[in-house]
Amino acid sequence: MTQKRFLKAALAGLTLSLTAAAPTLAPADTLRVLRGAPSSALNVPMNRAIIVESEEPFTELSIANPGIADISSLSDRTIYVLGKEPGRTTLTLLGADGRLISNVEVHVAPDLAEFKERLSQIIPGENIEVRTANNGIVLSGTVSSIARMDRALDLAQRYAPDRVSNLMMVGGTHQVMLKVRFAEMQRSVSKALSSSLSISGTGFDNTLGITGGTGASVTQGGINTSLAGNVPGGNANTGAAIFNFGAGGLEVGILLEALESRGVVRSLAEPNLVALSGQEATFLAGGEYPVPVPGDGGVSIEYKPFGVEMKFTPVVVDHDVINLQLVAAVSAIDTANAVQANGFSIDAFTRRETSTTVEMRDGESFAIAGLLSDDFTDLSGQVPWIGDIPVLGALFRSAEYARRQTELVIIVTPHLVTPTRGEALALPTDRVRPPTEQDLFLFGRVARNNAPSSGGAGEVARQDFIGSYGYVLDE
């Protein structure tokens, strides 16, 4: 009795160990094949298996393309079909007498069940439809953002490399308004102090002339003019004073020059532009300057744009995250640096430009460019040796001082926008109308108020011309 119990326990343990050691196969679908009846197509997911059962015993099996599917017989009536690569092939079953039992069309496609499961885990809440077509995967439906669509495409490439068709659409708001602000301040200060000394002896028939100092270039004729009490003609300094006196046949003239100048320049540009996500938009408020260009056939004219220029391409990445590729510039004609070429005077241009790519959310701002420049120069000149003499040497010296500071900043702010009704928009001309003859001649009015009284335009029109909103800035 004890031996029987021991044998039973040993057999039970051996059975459990064999069961645990046996490989666990995924449950496979089954296709039943009947002689003389057309067999339906066998759809096999890639890297998964399907069981084919034959009504009659078969003696020979063949697969047209072993690279697409692999087969093995489990018995004389059961076949194990494993999908390897996407494609179509044919499975042939022959009976004992060599006659054909059936041809089974085998269609191997990516495992959509697993792909759909992974898709719902990685990108939850998206309405994405998955289908197969021509050994590939077709994705359709509507997703909430471009980033989620890219994730779905990347995942599909794992299951069907280079065989993914994208028919998905991106929903939501995809029109972007870009607000760019150029702000520049320029400050300049310059100071100059110089003096000149002229001595003329009339007893030598005006042949004796001595000049000193570096503030003015004075000739013999200029000496006589300066002694008469006038500023020399070659000097344009408005801060000049002349002192002269005579001692017998000797006349002495002293010219003192002093100048201080200060200047402040403020420039502001604020272009706004709307574009569809992924589409480029350009903006130019200014003009085109003609530039003569010499050539073989003569002189031709090319036009160079100037003013406020902007070019940008927005891409709505995910919900309210916006990627911007931006080129912005502000230029103006600079007549001070004009050049002469072939008899033409060509003006130069001052230009502030930036080109960058940034990413931000709706309503956020970036200072994408900035410049702080501080230029300082000073110059001191004198007549050698004489300028070093105390007190009297000041008449033979000159000094100049100049400082220029520039501050520039460019700020961008994107907004997701949707269209609105036309009557809700106000134009800069809505508030002002040309005067009638009665208004102009009887009351002296140069304009009459004929603003809209209702709607969004009326609300804007009732506002005062005060503040930094609308189309008028309070200086």
Side-chain angles (χ1 to χ4, degrees):
M1 180 65 75
T2 304
Q3 293 179 351
K4 291 182 179 181
R5 291 181 178 178
F6 178 77
L7 290 175
K8 289 182 179 180
L11 290 174
L14 179 61
T15 302
L16 291 175
S17 62
L18 291 175
T19 303
T24 58
L25 299 177
D29 297 331
T30 302
L31 175 67
R32 193 172 298 277
V33 178
L34 303 178
R35 177 185 288 272
S39 177
S40 59
L42 179 62
N43 295 318
V44 182
M46 192 170 59
N47 299 324
R48 294 186 63 183
I50 297 293
I51 301 298
V52 178
E53 293 183 352
S54 176
E55 179 189 22
E56 295 184 6
F58 55 83
T59 58
E60 186 176 350
L61 296 175
S62 64
I63 188 75
N65 190 346
I68 295 178
D70 193 9
I71 59 174
S72 62
S73 58
L74 301 179
S75 66
D76 59 352
R77 296 176 182 267
T78 307
I79 309 168
Y80 187 84
V81 181
L82 175 65
K84 297 174 64 178
E85 292 291 336
R88 293 177 182 269
T89 187
T90 302
L91 171 65
T92 303
L93 289 74
L94 300 178
D97 53 359
R99 292 187 303 172
L100 177 68
I101 297 177
S102 180
N103 280 327
V104 180
E105 182 180 357
V106 179
H107 180 202
V108 179
D111 189 359
L112 296 185
E114 181 184 1
F115 173 63
K116 290 179 181 179
E117 181 181 355
R118 296 292 179 267
L119 193 63
S120 61
Q121 292 174 353
I122 297 176
I123 315 175
E126 297 293 341
N127 184 23
I128 301 177
E129 298 180 1
V130 182
R131 298 182 178 88
T132 59
N134 194 21
N135 303 328
I137 295 178
V138 179
L139 301 179
S140 60
T142 303
V143 292
S144 59
S145 66
I146 295 179
R148 291 181 169 239
M149 181 177 67
D150 292 339
R151 294 193 197 108
L153 293 175
D154 291 341
L155 182 61
Q157 289 290 341
R158 298 287 184 178
Y159 290 85
D162 301 326
R163 296 189 301 274
V164 179
S165 298
N166 179 22
L167 301 180
M168 294 181 291
M169 296 183 298
V170 181
T173 302
H174 297 285
Q175 294 184 113
V176 180
M177 183 189 76
L178 183 64
K179 179 180 180 182
V180 181
R181 286 174 287 174
F182 296 84
E184 183 177 15
M185 287 291 297
Q186 297 179 2
R187 294 182 293 270
S188 61
V189 177
S190 63
K191 298 179 181 181
L193 177 63
S194 62
S195 62
S196 298
L197 174 65
S198 299
I199 302 175
S200 177
T202 58
F204 299 93
D205 298 328
N206 290 334
T207 58
L208 175 62
I210 302 175
T211 63
T214 58
S217 178
V218 185
T219 63
Q220 178 65 36
I223 295 175
N224 297 330
T225 304
S226 66
L227 295 178
N230 298 320
V231 178
N235 191 287
N237 194 341
T238 57
I242 290 182
F243 306 92
N244 63 83
F245 59 91
L250 187 66
E251 294 185 1
V252 179
I254 300 175
L255 172 64
L256 298 179
E257 300 172 282
L259 176 65
E260 179 178 1
S261 63
R262 298 182 181 183
V264 176
V265 177
R266 187 192 82 165
S267 60
L268 177 66
E270 192 171 326
N272 296 336
L273 189 60
V274 178
L276 189 65
S277 176
Q279 301 297 318
E280 183 183 82
T282 60
F283 177 92
L284 172 62
E288 292 186 338
Y289 181 79
V291 178
V293 179
D296 296 337
V299 178
S300 61
I301 300 297
E302 292 185 2
Y303 290 89
K304 180 179 178 61
F306 67 93
V308 180
E309 303 174 63
M310 184 170 62
K311 179 187 299 184
F312 84 108
T313 303
V315 177
V316 181
V317 180
D318 190 3
H319 296 293
D320 60 346
V321 178
I322 304 170
N323 181 283
L324 291 175
Q325 296 181 8
L326 173 68
V327 177
V330 174
S331 58
I333 298 176
D334 183 9
T335 57
N337 295 317
V339 297
Q340 302 291 330
N342 297 330
F344 293 96
S345 177
I346 305 175
D347 294 330
F349 288 85
T350 58
R351 185 176 180 89
R352 283 80 71 199
E353 181 179 1
T354 181
S355 175
T356 185
T357 300
V358 294
E359 190 171 277
M360 64 190 80
R361 295 187 178 274
D362 178 21
E364 294 181 341
S365 298
F366 260 141
I368 62 171
L371 170 66
L372 179 60
S373 175
D374 191 350
D375 298 329
F376 169 79
T377 58
D378 63 350
L379 176 64
S380 179
Q382 67 177 22
V383 176
W385 303 298
I386 302 177
D388 295 328
I389 300 175
V391 183
L392 183 61
L395 299 177
F396 297 88
R397 288 197 302 266
S398 67
E400 297 179 2
Y401 162 89
R403 185 174 185 181
R404 181 183 178 88
Q405 294 177 312
T406 301
E407 296 180 32
L408 170 67
V409 64
I410 303 176
I411 301 175
V412 297
T413 305
H415 295 281
L416 294 174
V417 295
T418 55
T420 185
R421 299 183 62 86
E423 56 267 19
L425 300 177
L427 300 176
T429 57
D430 287 343
R431 303 184 61 174
V432 178
R433 294 290 186 271
T436 63
E437 294 181 356
Q438 179 181 357
D439 291 333
L440 179 60
F441 294 109
L442 295 183
F443 302 102
R445 298 172 183 168
V446 296
R448 60 190 177 93
N449 189 1
N450 191 20
S453 58
S454 61
E459 178 64 26
V460 174
R462 285 191 292 271
Q463 297 175 357
D464 295 330
F465 284 103
I466 299 175
S468 58
Y469 55 84
Y471 297 93
V472 178
L473 297 179
D474 184 26
E475 297 293 341

